[in-house]
Amino acid sequence: KNQVEQSPQSLIILEGKNCTLQCNYTVSPFSNLRWYKQDTGRGPVSLTIMTFSENTKSNGRYTATLDADTKQSSLHITASQLSDSASYICVVSGETAGNKLTFGGGTRVLVKP
Amino acid sequence: EAGVAQSPRYKIIEKRQSVAFWCNPISGHATLYWYQQILGQGPKLLIQFQNNGVVDDSQLPKDRFSAERLKGVDSTLKIQPAKLEDSAVYLCASSPGTGLSGNTIYFGEGSWLTVV
């Protein structure tokens, strides 16, 4: 069964600090991995998309890494800001017709001043 | 570029009533998705359209949920009759590609349903 597990479920960090979110998946065969940011009451917004051959991708202060051998990904937030408070969702796509996506449960991040 | 539009944003209904949600995807996007997101969880796919054909509706509770995408553009999702456990956010999303492509999937702001 294709699964995506994220950790931690939630975390609190102080403004200006860094943090790292983890994503482990069992989706196979693998096509791509996406990280989304979802503000409270809003729809998810894409941060990064990585394919099998990519092991790191950045979007401003967000850096995603991918280890396709161990089926792990991480999202690193540098110099956190209050606006980074949101849920971060890891989504993995398998190589089946229709580009089926498997969503993780998300990590809720709260940045405090 | 206009994003994915959804309406209504919020709806409160009593159990056993019906409700319909509307979605207008980004112009030219072939693939349209409806997701159900229960508070504190990740989205769950209900149905995926490619143009006006259904690609995947394996997790759609067909006894009460229905969806259509006429002319391969707008889509509606209907729930009849609603149950308390249907309280969730219904997200519509679209993407330009299909299959193995790594195209970005764009989400709407969601339609928040509360069943009382």
Side-chain angles (χ1 to χ4, degrees):
Chain A
K1 181 181 176 183
N2 290 335
Q3 287 187 312
V4 176
E5 301 288 341
Q6 291 188 244
S7 62
Q9 278 193 318
S10 62
L11 70 110
I12 300 173
I13 58 173
L14 292 177
E15 186 178 13
K17 298 296 185 182
N18 304 334
C19 69
T20 300
L21 286 52
Q22 299 292 340
C23 173
N24 296 334
Y25 62 92
T26 61
V27 176
S28 182
F30 172 83
S31 176
N32 57 70
L33 185 146
R34 310 159 190 252
W35 282 95
Y36 280 86
K37 177 186 179 186
Q38 186 173 24
D39 292 315
T40 301
R42 309 293 296 273
V45 174
S46 179
L47 293 176
T48 62
I49 300 175
M50 288 184 291
T51 60
F52 184 89
S53 59
E54 298 173 297
N55 55 24
T56 186
K57 185 165 281 190
S58 292
N59 179 354
R61 294 178 298 99
Y62 301 101
T63 300
T65 64
L66 172 64
D67 186 334
D69 291 331
T70 61
K71 297 185 177 180
Q72 295 179 326
S73 175
S74 65
L75 180 69
H76 186 75
I77 305 175
T78 303
S80 61
Q81 299 177 359
L82 298 179
S83 59
D84 293 330
S85 295
S87 287
Y88 293 83
I89 304 174
C90 176
V91 187
V92 182
S93 175
E95 285 187 350
T96 58
N99 197 30
K100 194 177 181 89
L101 304 177
T102 302
F103 285 75
T107 294
R108 297 173 66 84
V109 175
L110 176 61
V111 181
K112 287 192 169 182
Chain B
E1 178 181 78
V4 176
Q6 291 189 243
S7 68
R9 282 296 319 272
Y10 306 95
K11 190 76 174 179
I12 301 174
I13 62 173
E14 295 182 347
K15 58 183 179 183
R16 292 187 289 275
Q17 285 188 324
S18 63
V19 63
F21 301 115
W22 172 82
C23 173
N24 180 227
I26 294 173
S27 178
H29 280 195
T31 305
L32 185 148
Y33 313 79
W34 281 103
Y35 289 91
Q36 179 193 59
Q37 186 175 26
I38 294 172
L39 190 64
Q41 300 180 15
K44 181 186 86 171
L45 179 69
L46 292 176
I47 190 166
Q48 178 180 341
F49 293 95
Q50 181 176 325
N51 297 310
N52 60 351
V54 176
V55 173
D56 185 351
D57 64 355
S58 57
Q59 297 192 88
L60 185 74
K62 297 179 183 66
D63 57 334
R64 298 183 301 104
F65 286 65
S66 65
E68 60 182 7
R69 189 183 185 195
L70 298 176
K71 301 179 181 179
V73 182
D74 293 4
S75 177
T76 56
L77 175 70
K78 296 180 181 178
I79 307 173
Q80 181 179 19
K83 293 185 175 181
L84 296 177
E85 57 261 37
D86 298 332
S87 295
V89 180
Y90 290 87
L91 293 165
C92 180
S94 71
S95 69
T98 60
L100 303 178
S101 65
N103 291 306
T104 298
I105 297 174
Y106 298 86
F107 286 84
E109 298 288 35
S111 292
W112 293 65
L113 174 65
T114 300
V115 182
V116 297

